[in-house]
Amino acid sequence: MIEIMTSGDFEKVVEALGLKNAKRTYLYTPTEDSPWADSFAVWEFTESEFNILNDDIVDEAWDDKFFGLWWRYAEGTNIADNPDYEVRDFTFHGKPVKAWADTNADHVIAVVDDDGQCIFTDWGYKYLNPLKYCIMEIGASTPKNVDAVCTGLAKLNGMTLAEFFKKYMEEDDEEISE
């Protein structure tokens, strides 16, 4: 199976192209305080149906046929090979996850206590969710870049993209749409 990240209402594309084996495995619906204003989904495709999706419509015709809908596919991210990043232990929603840390970023904050002493606190390895991480740690905000980073993170943590989002996008007691 091939996983892709899509706009939230991608079923319109799946139906229009007659992709009968495609399956939506994750749907994110943003909250008011979400760093990502639009819903997105993860879909699984067989290789043959992915090829139909990939080959059927050229970029110029996509907007005419599916205006406002998008999809992105990545096999991973080039961050894994970038010497400016190293794998560190992070938390998303308080759950441990391996992720790449920007070695040039300052992940420590200095706080002055009541006695006037500086206390240095490690703050930079905790993010609300993968989207906040992509924006704040990596500087990725477009669907194409977020898909690549999150696909790489999923692989780094031995998960599918859908499993990764299900685990790290919401708190354990939050509702997950599918």
Side-chain angles (χ1 to χ4, degrees), residues 3 98 100 149-165:
E3 282 187 304
K98 296 282 185 200
W100 294 282
V149 170
C150 289
T151 297
L153 288 171
K155 287 181 178 183
L156 181 64
N157 288 280
M159 307 169 125
T160 66
L161 187 58
E163 290 169 339
F164 178 77
F165 282 132

Side-chain angles (χ1 to χ4, degrees), residues 58-130:
V58 293
D59 288 341
E60 301 82 42
W62 182 266
D63 279 345
D64 291 339
K65 198 166 187 179
F66 303 115
F67 183 76
L69 303 177
W70 56 267
W71 66 275
R72 300 293 180 259
Y73 168 74
E75 292 183 13
T77 177
N78 59 2
I79 292 172
D81 301 323
N82 188 326
D84 289 334
Y85 292 88
E86 64 185 11
V87 175
R88 297 288 306 251
D89 292 323
F90 280 76
T91 59
F92 299 159
H93 270 304
K95 296 175 243 180
V97 61
K98 296 282 185 200
W100 294 282
D102 182 347
T103 58
N104 297 312
D106 187 6
H107 288 93
V108 176
I109 188 170
V111 179
V112 178
D113 69 10
D114 293 337
D115 297 326
Q117 299 293 317
C118 268
I119 300 172
F120 295 94
T121 305
D122 177 21
W123 68 273
Y125 300 108
K126 298 173 183 150
Y127 288 98
L128 177 64
N129 59 42

Side-chain angles (χ1 to χ4, degrees), residues 1 11 22 31 36 39 59 79 89-90 95 116 121 141 143 154 173:
M1 296 302 263
E11 62 275 352
T31 59
W36 194 289
S39 64
D59 288 341
I79 292 172
D89 292 323
F90 280 76
K95 296 175 243 180
T121 305
S141 60
D173 61 350

Side-chain angles (χ1 to χ4, degrees), residues 28-37:
Y28 172 72
T29 304
T31 59
E32 286 183 25
D33 61 342
S34 175
W36 194 289

Side-chain angles (χ1 to χ4, degrees), residues 18-38:
L19 306 175
K20 305 242 183 271
N21 296 310
K23 179 181 176 190
R24 185 178 71 197
T25 54
Y26 179 78
L27 176 63
Y28 172 72
T29 304
T31 59
E32 286 183 25
D33 61 342
S34 175
W36 194 289
D38 300 316

